Amino acid sequence: MAIPTVKDGVAAWHIARESRVLDVNSPYSYLLWFRDFARTSVVASESGDVPVGFVTGFRRPEQPDTLVVWQIAVDRGQRGRGTAGAMLDHLTTRLTADGTLRHLETTISPDNAASHRLFRSFARRHAAPLERDLLFPAELFPDAHEAEFLYRIGPLLR
């Protein structure tokens, strides 16, 4: 697990595109993300330098003690090995070490069962309360996007 660099952006875009679950951002956005939000993101690599998974995150400006996980994805060939959970654990451990991270937030569409399981499991592992509420109803989206539910986990302990 490592802090991503701009060079990891293309691999993240490929992993997101191949997931067939995530809203895929432009390749440019992954490059920019790993330049501007590298500290609040992580990549998992195989054989030292080939990314097989990533988490993109940012701190909420109004709540700097909250990490928002924007996307998390693992290469198809690496799924089922605990990589996603390990990346979340690694990232939150790194960010709680300085005492400034207390909560984790993410949004999940109703049909993304893997993400629902992942974040519920994270909350259990960290003995942290989990709140789930509708954040964006489907009718707010201009396309056929499903609703998005907000998961708020915390407080996280150091």
Side-chain angles (χ1 to χ4, degrees):
M1 306 292 157
I3 295 173
T5 67
V6 171
K7 292 177 186 175
D8 298 318
V10 172
W13 178 78
H14 281 289
I15 293 167
R17 186 185 65 184
E18 296 303 317
S19 76
R20 297 192 174 103
V21 176
L22 294 178
D23 291 334
V24 181
N25 301 301
S26 71
Y28 173 80
S29 69
Y30 292 95
L31 298 173
L32 190 64
W33 201 285
F34 289 161
R35 184 195 78 163
D36 293 344
F37 300 105
R39 174 110 174 90
T40 53
S41 300
V42 67
V43 293
S45 297
E46 183 179 61
S47 303
D49 62 349
V50 178
V52 296
F54 70 91
V55 177
T56 53
F58 63 92
R59 290 184 187 266
R60 287 196 57 201
E62 300 83 16
Q63 294 178 322
D65 67 343
T66 300
L67 173 70
V68 176
V69 172
W70 177 256
Q71 287 188 321
I72 184 166
V74 176
D75 182 81
R76 284 188 185 281
Q78 300 292 317
R79 291 184 189 163
R81 299 179 184 183
T83 304
M87 288 189 299
L88 280 178
D89 290 345
H90 176 87
L91 180 57
T92 56
T93 297
R94 178 166 31 96
L95 295 175
T96 56
D98 64 12
T100 60
L101 180 66
R102 295 199 24 87
H103 294 91
L104 182 144
E105 289 184 352
T106 196
T107 64
I108 307 172
S109 60
D111 71 343
N112 191 339
S115 287
H116 290 286
R117 282 191 306 272
L118 173 65
F119 285 95
R120 286 181 181 136
S121 175
F122 174 87
R124 281 192 305 274
R125 276 195 315 281
H126 293 270
L130 183 150
E131 297 173 11
R132 179 183 181 262
D133 293 300
L134 178 64
L135 182 63
F136 299 126
E139 57 269 12
L140 289 180
F141 293 96
D143 56 7
H145 200 288
E146 289 187 291
E148 289 283 337
F149 286 85
L150 174 69
Y151 275 54
R152 181 166 171 84
I153 301 169
L156 300 171
L157 304 175
R158 282 187 235 165

